[in-house]
Amino acid sequence: MNPKLKSLAHRLGAPVWWLLGRVIPKDRDAIVINSFPDFDDTTRALANALRGTRRKLFVLTVRRGAVAPAWLAGVNATVTYRYSAYGVWLYHRARLVLFTHGCFSAWPLSPAQIVVNVWHGMPIKKIGLLDGKSSGEIPRFHYTIAADERFRSIIAGAFGVSADRVLVAEHPRLDVLRSSSRDMGGSLPPHQRLLVWLPTYRASVHGDVRVDGKESADIFAGGVDLSRIDALCAEHGALCVVKPHPMARVRPEAFARYGSILLLDDASLAARGVSLYQLLAASDVLITDVSSVYFDYKVLGRPVILYCADLQSYGASRGFVAPIESLVTDEIIESEEQLVGKLREYLRSSERTAIGDSAAQADGATSSLLGRVGA
């Protein structure tokens, strides 16, 4: 939509939205979740926490016609398109709303609801106001979350809110990471070791369309030769799954020549009955760069390789929320030679790191957050 028309629609719609928020009665047992992508691990964690209870889950989807996944069975869940009349009705019926990227955020909040921005991870790269966004581009909410006190001030600054509206809490999707099995049950080709490579996007084609860093460092676009990584994985019976960022520009055909590197996007994972955080739970090593998944994966205590070939140009273009060395505890490598060396070191190791005894609280993060916001 044209920005001017969009702004006009928001201004004209605001009084109507305000009225709906006040006249539609709230169901204290109803919770709205709106995530991107649809049915992500935030939604899965919430569904798992509500299964077997009287609570209702309203899943508002980004895509029209999205079909409820099988894992929603046993949950009192309703799935509908966010921008449908029914989606608007369900939004206003719920006492609690959670979102990862904003949900009807241009319009006024209702005092009869609690709206929580769980976002999609602790940032390394600049986001929100820190990334030059205007206040009108920032989603509206009552509360958001930060993984620890260090990130509390960063998140407050990024969203332009006071620190008391930033709850120090774990992200709900960590429940999926902790509780999932290492057995993929035949969902992936046979392998002895599983590597997961999750770079953030360089060129985005959805949402905030932009280019950060160097496009020549963008492995999704097929401009980076991964033959050495492929050969190393084959030598050690390893499989490397490359998962594109949902906003990234991707050329799937560029990966067809590799035998031990497999490109799987969200739709491909869903078709195999696997979520991203279930995939991570089954993995032995994570390769990433400036993605927030770095912090989540740390709960597993397994090796992480921080590989960012365009670190300097990425810092100069997108920038970081703080000096990157103060945010991460692992060495950041910038050359293919270093990456191959690190991978060889891990693949030659005979021991697989265990997940630890964290599965005992399979819905701990989600239930804790719901309790703190009075749900």
Side-chain angles (χ1 to χ4, degrees):
M1 181 185 291
N2 180 285
K4 290 185 178 179
L5 290 178
K6 187 175 182 180
S7 176
L8 178 62
H10 287 164
R11 290 200 305 273
L12 295 178
V16 177
W17 192 263
W18 180 89
L19 183 62
L20 291 175
R22 280 153 180 76
V23 302
I24 296 177
K26 306 299 181 250
D27 184 340
R28 297 190 65 87
D29 288 331
I31 300 174
V32 156
I33 177 65
N34 175 236
S35 68
F36 175 75
D38 292 326
F39 311 116
D40 76 339
D41 284 295
T42 307
T43 306
R44 186 184 290 259
L46 191 56
N48 289 342
L50 299 185
R51 182 173 284 107
T53 74
R54 67 178 187 179
R55 308 297 295 274
K56 305 166 189 173
L57 182 62
F58 300 155
V59 183
L60 304 188
T61 64
V62 176
R63 294 173 296 120
R64 189 187 300 273
V67 178
W71 50 261
L72 270 178
V75 181
N76 187 4
T78 302
V79 176
T80 193
Y81 179 51
R82 174 175 56 179
Y83 292 121
S84 65
Y86 192 39
V88 170
W89 168 259
L90 291 181
Y91 177 92
H92 284 292
R93 280 288 287 144
R95 165 67 172 162
L96 175 65
V97 175
L98 287 84
F99 63 73
T100 63
H101 290 73
C103 183
F104 298 119
S105 296
W107 288 318
L109 298 172
S110 168
Q113 286 180 311
I114 299 171
V115 178
V116 182
N117 169 16
V118 296
W119 203 235
H120 40 281
M122 293 300 97
I124 295 178
K125 57 180 179 282
K126 287 182 178 179
I127 62 169
L129 298 177
L130 304 179
D131 187 36
K133 300 289 190 297
S134 68
S135 58
E137 296 175 279
I138 304 301
R140 302 184 189 191
F141 55 84
H142 296 105
Y143 298 103
T144 186
I145 63 174
D148 52 37
E149 287 292 343
R150 171 186 54 166
F151 274 105
R152 195 175 196 181
S153 60
I154 292 172
I155 294 295
F159 292 119
V161 298
S162 58
D164 62 342
R165 290 173 58 188
V166 182
L167 307 177
V168 176
E170 288 189 320
H171 200 286
R173 66 189 180 192
L174 290 185
D175 290 337
V176 178
L177 187 62
R178 288 190 172 111
S179 63
S180 299
S181 169
R182 296 197 75 160
D183 181 9
M184 296 299 290
S187 299
L188 297 175
H191 57 272
Q192 296 178 23
R193 296 289 181 89
L194 178 60
L195 318 178
V196 175
W197 195 342
L198 293 175
T200 195
Y201 61 86
R202 294 306 186 273
S204 62
V205 293
H206 302 290
D208 186 10
V209 177
R210 60 192 297 165
V211 175
D212 297 318
K214 291 182 178 178
E215 290 191 78
S216 59
D218 185 359
I219 70 169
F220 303 135
V224 180
D225 186 359
L226 304 177
S227 297
R228 291 183 68 190
I229 307 298
D230 186 48
L232 183 62
C233 289
E235 178 186 344
H236 292 276
L239 175 67
C240 179
V241 174
V242 177
K243 162 64 174 63
H245 190 284
M247 292 167 59
R249 179 181 60 201
V250 184
R251 287 185 57 234
E253 66 275 11
F255 289 80
R257 57 183 168 141
Y258 303 124
S260 295
I261 297 177
L262 181 63
L263 181 75
L264 292 178
D265 60 13
D266 291 295
S268 301
L269 284 173
R272 294 166 183 261
V274 178
S275 76
L276 173 58
Y277 273 57
Q278 288 176 327
L279 178 70
L280 288 171
S283 68
D284 296 285
V285 178
L286 170 68
I287 308 169
T288 189
D289 45 22
V290 294
S291 171
S292 61
V293 72
Y294 169 80
F295 301 109
D296 290 352
Y297 197 77
K298 281 292 188 177
V299 306
L300 298 181
R302 299 181 196 159
V304 180
I305 299 176
L306 281 175
Y307 173 57
C308 190
D310 59 345
L311 181 65
Q312 302 307 316
S313 60
Y314 197 96
S317 57
R318 178 66 176 260
F320 308 119
V321 296
I324 192 167
E325 297 81 5
S326 70
L327 297 172
V328 301
T329 56
D330 292 273
E331 175 191 11
I332 306 167
I333 59 178
E334 301 178 55
S335 72
E336 182 189 33
E337 198 64 40
Q338 289 174 299
L339 175 59
V340 170
K342 284 279 190 183
L343 284 175
R344 183 175 288 113
E345 175 187 338
Y346 291 134
L347 292 174
R348 283 178 174 173
S349 171
S350 60
E351 295 185 2
R352 300 183 75 190
T353 306
I355 192 171
D357 188 25
S358 56
Q361 297 182 351
D363 63 352
T366 307
S367 295
S368 175
L369 178 60
L370 293 179
R372 292 184 65 184
V373 296

